[in-house]
């Protein structure tokens, strides 16, 4: 797929910046639910889209509502916001059967909520389960219980044809046996998509503070390795394709929206802290400041000057991003496309650097692609650093 083809269709991300409680591992921007002003937020988002609509140059193929906790959005606000987006987009500029994803928490799921989401056009849901162990959930500050997760899954798989379940491995108190139960429990509901993320200790999160102060122990490399191998083998046996480092899907149910990020597709991000990319060289980032965001798009008379900062990628940065993002996908780096976009000399340099990881069994050249092996996925960051 050429870069020209990629930018002929677009994706839209909406960041909903409110949460009832911040999980101890989370470093995404959010504000407390008590600060939520849904009417003003909806108006600001639509105003921003009106000003930036021109940044999308192709048909809208995916829309993703993330956060934060977008499943908290009240019914009338959800309808107003989604109707406004599609009115501004124009029916002729929306692809047939676009993928519309909503991130949800189990405690928000009931039949009424499902009706609201479907009425708004949502056709894919991503539910943040993290674990089915009540003790593990308590340790990481989740508000839902295992029973809520099970009830939510039952409701979701009955109402949606595209359900993704999110789990995390390496959580505090989560043994390999607990992780195996988590995976097996989720598979009992046959979701179309499964995301299983390795716990990350991000700077300034409560989790990292607890670990650094000795009040929480990080999972050992041995346990993490055992968990990862079980996840990969179990999901493969269950018919899921491991298409990205942390993501598995039944055939045809890969996340179109997230795949767009990894393959360099154009996307526009709305809301505080949202990021955008023009599919070529320019990346934009909105400040992580909900008050400033509302003031800019409402209180200050709908200012037309940008609220975002931006950077223009150099050729070297584009190359590094291509390597990093392509290796997240199990299909790997398309070598002819890499040569076409960056030159034969850059390709030769890449392959020369790859020799060490290939000899170590971490990378493999498979025809016209260079991809991580199963063992390479476990140390992907180190492999990528060696290439760039």
């Amino acid at each position: 797929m050429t870069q020209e083809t990629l930018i002929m269709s677009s994706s839209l991300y909406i960041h909903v910046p409110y949460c009832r409680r911040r999980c101890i591992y989370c470093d995404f921007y959010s504000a407390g639910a008590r600060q939520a002003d849904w009417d003003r937020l909806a108006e600001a988002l639509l105003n921003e889209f009106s000003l930036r609509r021109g940044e999308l140059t192709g048909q809208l193929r995916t829309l993703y509502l993330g956060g934060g906790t977008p499943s908290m959005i009240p019914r009338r606000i959800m309808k107003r916001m989604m109707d406004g987006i599609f009115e501004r987009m124009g029916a002729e500029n929306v692809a047939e059967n676009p993928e519309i994803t909503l991130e949800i928490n189990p405690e928000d799921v009931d039949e009424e909520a499902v009706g609201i989401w479907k009425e708004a056009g949502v056709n894919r849901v991503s539910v943040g389960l993290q674990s089915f162990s009540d003790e593990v959930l308590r340790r990481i500050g989740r508000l839902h219980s295992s029973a809520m997760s099970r009830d939510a899954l039952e409701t979701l798989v009955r109402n949606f044809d595209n359900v993704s379940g999110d789990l995390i491995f390496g959580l505090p108190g989560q043994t390999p046996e607990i992780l195996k139960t988590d995976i097996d429990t989720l598979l009992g509901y046959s979701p179309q998509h499964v995301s299983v993320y390795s716990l990350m200790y991000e700077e300034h999160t409560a989790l990292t503070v607890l670990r650094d102060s000795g009040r929480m122990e990080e999972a050992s490399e041995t346990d993490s390795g055992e968990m990862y191998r079980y996840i990969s083998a179990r999901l493969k046996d269950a018919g899921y394709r491991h298409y990205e480092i942390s993501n598995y899907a039944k055939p045809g149910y890969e996340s179109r929206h997230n795949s767009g990020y990894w393959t360099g597709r154009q996307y526009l991000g709305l809301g505080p802290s949202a990021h955008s990319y023009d599919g070529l060289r320019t990346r934009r980032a909105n400040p992580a400041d909900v008050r400033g965001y509302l003031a800019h798009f409402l209180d200050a008379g709908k200012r037309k000057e940008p609220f975002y900062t931006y950077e223009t990628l150099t050729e070297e940065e584009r190359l590094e991003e291509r390597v990093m993002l392509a290796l997240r996908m199990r299909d790997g780096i398309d070598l002819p496309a890499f040569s076409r976009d960056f030159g034969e000399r850059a390709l030769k340099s890449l392959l020369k650097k790859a020799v060490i990881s290939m000899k170590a069994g971490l990378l493999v050249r498979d025809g016209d692609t260079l991809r991580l092996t199963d063992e390479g996925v476990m140390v992907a960051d180190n492999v990528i650093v060696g290439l760039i």
Side-chain angles (χ1 to χ4, degrees):
M1 183 176 291
T2 67
Q3 193 72 3
E4 182 179 359
T5 302
L6 286 174
I7 63 172
M8 291 306 291
S9 58
S10 305
S11 294
L12 182 64
Y13 173 78
I14 298 175
H15 188 81
V16 179
Y18 302 122
C19 274
R20 295 185 184 87
R21 179 195 294 176
R22 177 181 289 275
C23 300
I24 65 171
Y25 54 80
C26 182
D27 72 333
F28 292 109
Y29 175 68
S30 65
R34 292 183 179 179
Q35 301 179 42
D37 188 332
W38 295 109
D39 286 292
R40 284 165 57 80
L41 177 66
E43 184 178 352
L45 287 167
L46 293 175
N47 285 346
E48 182 186 11
F49 188 52
S50 294
L51 290 171
R52 302 183 65 187
R53 163 69 182 84
E55 294 178 30
L56 296 180
T57 60
Q59 282 195 317
L60 185 69
R61 68 191 292 269
T62 72
L63 192 160
Y64 195 105
L65 291 96
T69 311
S71 53
M72 292 170 51
I73 301 174
R75 178 174 184 169
R76 62 182 178 81
I77 298 298
M78 176 70 84
K79 179 173 175 52
R80 171 185 170 191
M81 187 169 68
M82 297 294 279
D83 286 350
I85 290 293
F86 285 105
E87 286 172 5
R88 285 160 175 77
M89 194 70 205
E92 70 280 7
N93 296 313
V94 178
E96 185 178 355
N97 189 32
E99 177 190 88
I100 303 176
T101 303
L102 177 70
E103 286 185 353
I104 63 178
N105 281 351
E107 64 268 24
D108 292 326
V109 179
D110 55 36
E111 293 291 346
E112 180 182 4
V114 164
I116 294 170
W117 302 332
K118 294 180 74 171
E119 181 184 9
V122 173
N123 54 24
R124 182 177 185 271
V125 290
S126 179
V127 56
L129 306 162
Q130 319 317 358
S131 176
F132 287 92
S133 164
D134 284 326
E135 175 59 23
V136 171
L137 293 171
R138 183 191 65 77
R139 288 190 180 203
I140 60 176
R142 298 292 286 181
L143 292 175
H144 69 272
S145 65
S146 176
M148 289 180 185
S149 292
R150 295 167 192 266
D151 289 344
L153 283 168
E154 288 180 2
T155 300
L156 294 173
V157 300
R158 187 170 62 248
N159 285 280
F160 290 96
D161 296 326
N162 197 345
V163 175
S164 178
D166 293 3
L167 297 172
I168 299 177
F169 72 96
L171 291 166
Q174 182 190 50
T175 63
E177 289 71 28
I178 290 175
L179 182 278
K180 291 175 182 178
T181 299
D182 289 342
I183 295 291
D184 293 347
T185 300
L186 177 56
L187 291 183
Y189 296 91
S190 297
Q192 287 74 27
H193 187 279
V194 175
S195 298
V196 192
Y197 302 101
S198 174
L199 180 66
M200 302 298 292
Y201 285 79
E202 304 289 357
E203 190 176 3
H204 304 309
T205 62
L207 177 71
T208 299
V209 171
L210 289 170
R211 181 199 62 182
D212 293 347
S213 64
R215 289 178 286 168
M216 189 164 287
E217 186 175 354
E218 189 170 352
S220 69
E221 289 188 12
T222 300
D223 281 353
S224 292
E226 181 181 344
M227 291 180 188
Y228 171 75
R229 292 185 182 90
Y230 181 82
I231 292 163
S232 298
R234 180 71 176 89
L235 289 171
K236 181 180 180 180
D237 288 345
Y240 293 81
R241 178 173 178 264
H242 189 183
Y243 73 100
E244 192 270 343
I245 286 180
S246 302
N247 289 277
Y248 307 75
K250 292 182 178 179
Y253 287 95
E254 295 83 359
S255 169
R256 282 189 267 159
H257 185 88
N258 289 335
S259 293
Y261 294 151
W262 305 317
T263 55
R265 193 181 297 277
Q266 177 189 81
Y267 59 90
L268 171 62
L270 305 178
S273 84
H275 289 240
S276 306
Y277 177 52
D278 69 353
L280 297 170
R281 293 182 178 274
T282 304
R283 294 195 177 277
R284 300 176 176 87
N286 288 355
D289 176 7
V290 66
R291 291 183 179 178
Y293 180 82
L294 295 177
H296 184 93
F297 290 106
L298 297 177
D299 301 339
K302 304 176 186 178
R303 294 174 179 165
K304 293 185 178 181
E305 68 270 20
F307 183 67
Y308 54 76
T309 59
Y310 72 93
E311 62 172 331
T312 301
L313 301 178
T314 65
E315 193 70 3
E316 181 179 0
E317 289 170 335
R318 287 184 64 234
L319 185 151
E320 291 176 354
E321 282 203 356
R322 173 73 65 84
V323 171
M324 178 181 66
L325 294 174
L327 284 181
R328 288 194 63 89
M329 306 289 286
R330 294 309 304 270
D331 290 341
I333 302 172
D334 181 327
L335 298 176
F338 187 90
S339 176
R340 182 185 64 246
D341 293 340
F342 300 105
E344 187 64 23
R345 180 179 295 181
L347 176 61
K348 289 180 178 178
S349 176
L350 174 72
L351 293 175
K352 182 178 180 180
K353 292 176 182 178
V355 169
I356 294 176
S357 291
M358 292 173 70
K359 288 182 176 179
L362 305 177
L363 276 175
V364 62
R365 182 170 180 174
D366 187 4
D368 285 337
T369 64
L370 183 69
R371 61 178 177 80
L372 293 168
T373 64
D374 287 344
E375 290 301 312
V377 170
M378 298 181 62
V379 290
D381 289 347
N382 291 336
V383 174
I384 291 169
V385 168
L387 294 176
I388 63 177

